[in-house]
Amino acid sequence: MKRDDVVKDVLLEKSQKPSNSEGKGYASANVALIKYWGKRDLDLNLPYSTSLSISLSHYGTQTVIKQSTIDHDQIFINNQPVELDTQFSRRLRKYLDLFRNDVIKFFHINTESSVPIAAGVASSASGFAALVNALNQFFGWDLEEKYLSILARLGSGSACRSIWPGFVEWQVGHEPNGMDSYGVPLYDEWSEFRVGLLLIEKKEKPISSREAMKRTVSTSPFYKPWQDHAKKQLEEIKQAISARNFTKVGSIAEQNSIGMHATMYTSWPPIMYSLEKTFTLIKRVWQLRKRGNSIYFTQDAGPNLKLLFLEDDTAIIQKNFPGIIIINPFTQMESTHAK
Ligand code: PMV
């Protein structure tokens, strides 16, 4: 099953003609508490296991898409033109190939993001989800979130969770075409829950998550045990979220993340996204916990850390981690996607 077939199945009889002169879409970045690591289908970005994340409300990407007036795509980041042969543009254009038709051959896209691109801060997640929301408005598809999530997944796996706010579960699914693998919201509001972003390095990562996943799955002896354990952790964290048991949520998330990085480090050749600064900051989190503060971390495919804590610990966090970006994932937002 190829990506084009999935797009055909999702769009069925939808019009190829845009219903608006432009489409605007917003999506939050998201941070996984139970990680997605490893693809059972490399083309459709289908995972080996269910993951669970929290969307970061105002921290995300806004994209505007319209028809290009010239005979090639035009891509802008924060209103600045981007060359078409950069890694960023190539990936984006390849994804847009799925949506070109007899009416719209080339697109004009402007993306504004508060998320550094390709540094393990979920830029591709909010980027592809925002793009799908923008395409949905541009073409007037009026798709249900389930289908928006499936389309976003084709761009970047974790993007399927960015279609929703709050806690989101990306269900592993079993169908070969992935029609049962998409993000579903948990609807648990937790107004004291905070995520702190410690941006250690904004540069592109040395190895893409796609390559790193492939290598981990094929070479780490700890991949399977990590994945089996993650299934139990998923059930436990969902219970802890509904019971508002923060210590449990934080400790499960931190263990799941350390486990994921352990599978990378035990791959061959080994993969390590952490920098020295990452370890220094991890130790600071552990020191604070020894002193009784309920503060945890999680780390994705990059050196940056995301701290998990409750509102009451904000002052301690700010004192110990100067420059941290603090996000309240449950601030009111009208909608994550413009309809
Ligand atoms: O969606 P991708 O291909 O960028 O993979 C992201 C994987 C992690 O961020 C490390 C984990 C996750 O679940 O988001």
Side-chain angles (χ1 to χ4, degrees), residues 32 34-37 39 124 156-158 161 209 213 260 300-301:
I34 299 296
K35 307 291 186 190
Y36 144 60
W37 196 250
K39 302 174 200 272
S124 61
S156 165
S158 55
R161 300 183 308 233
S209 48
M213 282 184 204
M260 176 184 76
D300 291 305

Side-chain angles (χ1 to χ4, degrees), residues 114-130:
S114 42
V115 186
I117 289 168
V121 207
S123 63
S124 61
S126 63
F128 280 105

Side-chain angles (χ1 to χ4, degrees), residues 97-236:
D97 288 347
L98 296 168
F99 305 101
R100 301 184 203 280
N101 58 42
D102 295 341
V103 185
I104 303 290
K105 296 206 166 51
F106 300 105
F107 293 97
H108 178 293
I109 288 189
N110 184 40
T111 269
E112 292 183 43
S113 191
S114 42
V115 186
I117 289 168
V121 207
S123 63
S124 61
S126 63
F128 280 105
L131 178 58
V132 167
N133 287 332
L135 284 163
N136 188 42
Q137 193 186 63
F138 179 52
F139 284 108
W141 294 327
D142 205 16
L143 290 173
E144 274 174 48
E145 279 85 353
K146 166 183 162 175
Y147 294 111
L148 295 173
S149 180
I150 289 172
L151 292 183
R153 167 169 54 71
L154 299 180
S156 165
S158 55
C160 76
R161 300 183 308 233
S162 277
I163 292 295
W164 294 100
F167 293 106
V168 183
E169 184 178 337
W170 170 11
Q171 295 175 342
V172 61
H174 299 289
E175 289 177 25
N177 64 3
M179 284 304 187
D180 54 354
S181 184
Y182 49 84
V184 177
L186 291 195
Y187 296 114
D188 282 285
E189 293 246 346
W190 196 340
S191 59
E192 298 85 14
F193 199 98
R194 294 289 179 276
V195 178
L197 300 182
L198 282 170
L199 300 181
I200 293 165
E201 176 71 73
K202 292 188 187 176
K203 277 201 271 181
E204 283 205 14
K205 42 199 173 191
I207 171 168
S208 68
S209 48
R210 168 170 285 265
E211 286 310 310
M213 282 184 204
K214 266 201 254 176
R215 195 187 297 170
T216 309
V217 171
S218 59
T219 67
S220 171
F222 297 109
Y223 179 65
K224 184 76 177 50
W226 171 76
Q227 205 200 81
D228 291 342
H229 192 48
K231 285 179 194 142
K232 287 187 210 122
Q233 289 175 321
L234 176 76
E235 291 318 311
E236 282 171 21

